[in-house]
Amino acid sequence: MVEEIRLIIDKHQDPHYNMGFDEALLTLRVQGEIPPTLRLYMWDPSAVTIGYFQRIRDVVNLDYALEKKIPVIRRITGGGAVYHDRDGEVTYSIVLDARGRFTDVQESYRIICSGIVEALRDLGLEAIFKPVNDILLNGRKVSGSAQTRRKNTLLQHGTLMVSTNLDELVRLLVVPREKLESHRVSSIRERVTTVSIELGKTLSPEEMIPYLIEGFRKALGAQLIEEKPSPSEEKLAEKYAEKYRSIEWNYKR
Amino acid sequence: MEEKRVVIRSAKGKTLTVYAKVNNGRLEEIVFGGDYFAYPEDSIVNLEEKLRGLGLEEALKTIEEYLKDTVLLGISVEDLKESVRRILS
């Protein structure tokens, strides 16, 4: 059982740096340089991330992203495309040892995602975890997560749409017709929601953060101890950020 | 040379979107795109390399053998094989 988890809160960071930081957490945890760590962060500017296996031109409206100067970044984790709204979204990432109750991949998704489920329930919302990696409110997706593993260490990161501009999300993300049909919807717009929509009042990402801290504390059964990122973490994050800026990486599929 | 795209909505929950270039019944190039998960991720990329130049029977055998130790989430080995069957038939 994990007893203490370090907490980093990183508001409004550069998108490439954000992905670089998550990869740095994974590398440094594998090397035993840092303790298990939970990071809550936001984006500036807004950005799109895509899953490791996705073909970039099939899942993102690249012309529109370019016009709006919205970076599109390939993640090291699988899963689908995500719109990270600067003013409406919180992202989490966590690095843990993939042992004990975190050994099984699907079970580890469930445990980590229950941090968000708990946070939403604290707000009075009936959140449901839907395997593989979704959290639903009223049958609509409000959060998705993605996990990768290296040498018995897991990195999971995920999005929570607090007050995301869903019209912008619809303009940016392209979903295969076959996937929409299987969900019996004609547009992705019918399949997603935000915390604010479900609450019936606007909640900001900043206001969501204390709920997430409490939710993850309960879900993980751990004390969360806030610290600033270390200089070596920031340096490695910057190094990896260069990869996330490169055409070779982002357009490799 | 023919370009093909096959989409499979897996019973496991995710979407597999496969692109391939086919020449004389053999895979010239194949990309297993989609919003699924594979551990380790490299096994899919390496498999795509291994499948170059293969016909249907060899390709199916290679998928089966190559992914023996890969954990897939959201799709199955059978989905990958089915996509290749559709591409090469």
Side-chain angles (χ1 to χ4, degrees), chain A residues 52-55 58 76 78-80 105-106 109 132-134 145-150 176 178-179 182-183 253, chain B residues 5 7 9 12-15 17 19 31-42 44-45 48 71 73-74:
Chain A
Y52 181 75
F53 299 111
Q54 293 188 301
R55 281 232 307 197
D58 290 335
I76 51 170
V105 180
Q106 181 65 79
Y109 270 100
V132 176
N133 60 333
D134 291 343
S145 292
Q147 185 187 122
T148 187
R149 294 181 169 214
R150 306 261 190 284
E178 293 86 348
K179 180 171 178 178
S182 84
H183 287 293
R253 290 162 84 84
Chain B
R5 173 179 179 270
V7 179
R9 271 299 290 170
K12 303 275 186 189
K14 294 292 165 189
T15 307
T17 311
Y19 311 87
V31 176
F32 294 112
D35 60 357
Y36 61 91
F37 300 94
Y39 306 94
E41 288 86 359
D42 283 359
I44 295 290
V45 178
E48 291 168 348
V71 175
L73 212 56

Side-chain angles (χ1 to χ4, degrees), chain A:
Chain A
M1 175 81 96
V2 178
E3 310 245 300
E4 279 186 8
I5 294 178
R6 187 173 63 131
L7 172 67
I8 292 174
I9 298 174
D10 247 354
K11 288 182 183 166
H12 293 120
Q13 293 283 3
D14 169 75
H16 310 94
Y17 177 84
N18 272 339
M19 287 295 92
F21 202 102
D22 284 1
E23 189 169 351
L25 288 176
L26 179 58
T27 299
L28 294 171
R29 182 62 202 150
V30 167
Q31 294 170 353
E33 301 282 328
I34 58 166
T37 300
L38 170 70
R39 177 174 176 243
L40 301 175
Y41 59 101
M42 295 183 288
W43 304 65
D44 190 10
S46 300
V48 171
T49 64
I50 63 170
Y52 181 75
F53 299 111
Q54 293 188 301
R55 281 232 307 197
I56 189 166
R57 59 187 174 279
D58 290 335
V59 294
V60 183
N61 182 345
L62 288 171
D63 290 339
Y64 185 73
L66 199 68
E67 182 197 320
K68 299 289 251 182
K69 297 190 167 59
I70 292 172
V72 181
I73 305 171
R74 183 177 302 280
R75 300 189 306 266
I76 51 170
T77 50
V82 175
Y83 171 49
H84 303 273
D85 186 332
R86 186 192 67 174
D87 304 312
E89 191 251 7
V90 181
T91 309
Y92 77 89
S93 60
I94 189 165
V95 285
L96 294 170
D97 300 342
R99 56 182 163 80
R101 60 192 176 133
F102 297 104
T103 307
D104 179 74
V105 180
Q106 181 65 79
E107 178 61 6
S108 64
Y109 270 100
R110 192 194 61 74
I111 296 169
I112 296 168
C113 287
S114 66
I116 293 178
V117 170
E118 292 284 353
L120 294 171
R121 287 184 180 166
D122 270 356
L123 282 164
L125 299 171
E126 270 305 307
I128 290 167
F129 172 68
K130 182 171 175 280
V132 176
N133 60 333
D134 291 343
I135 295 169
L136 309 182
L137 290 174
N138 270 326
R140 294 177 182 210
K141 181 166 172 172
V142 72
S143 169
S145 292
Q147 185 187 122
T148 187
R149 294 181 169 214
R150 306 261 190 284
K151 295 188 176 159
N152 297 320
T153 300
L154 69 82
L155 162 70
Q156 182 167 314
H157 45 201
T159 174
L160 176 63
M161 294 189 285
V162 182
S163 52
T164 298
N165 180 339
L166 296 181
D167 294 325
E168 190 74 343
L169 178 149
V170 170
R171 284 189 283 266
L172 282 161
L173 306 187
V174 179
V175 178
R177 182 176 45 81
E178 293 86 348
K179 180 171 178 178
L180 292 174
E181 282 169 1
S182 84
H183 287 293
R184 296 193 182 84
V185 294
S186 56
S187 154
I188 186 180
R189 185 72 173 77
E190 298 166 50
R191 226 211 127 209
V192 291
T193 191
T194 68
V195 176
S196 295
I197 289 172
E198 300 301 323
L199 276 179
K201 62 170 187 185
T202 303
L203 193 75
S204 70
E206 284 88 351
E207 288 169 320
M208 188 71 221
I209 285 179
Y211 289 93
L212 286 170
I213 294 171
E214 181 58 15
F216 279 111
R217 188 191 66 75
K218 279 192 221 163
L220 302 168
Q223 243 194 310
L224 300 176
I225 297 157
E226 189 173 347
E227 284 179 19
K228 295 268 171 255
S230 72
S232 64
E233 266 171 331
E234 287 174 335
K235 200 172 148 209
L236 190 56
E238 275 303 342
K239 185 186 148 201
Y240 286 143
E242 284 309 311
K243 173 178 86 177
Y244 293 106
R245 286 187 185 101
S246 72
I247 302 261
E248 293 74 29
W249 170 257
N250 291 323
Y251 283 77
K252 70 182 208 151
R253 290 162 84 84

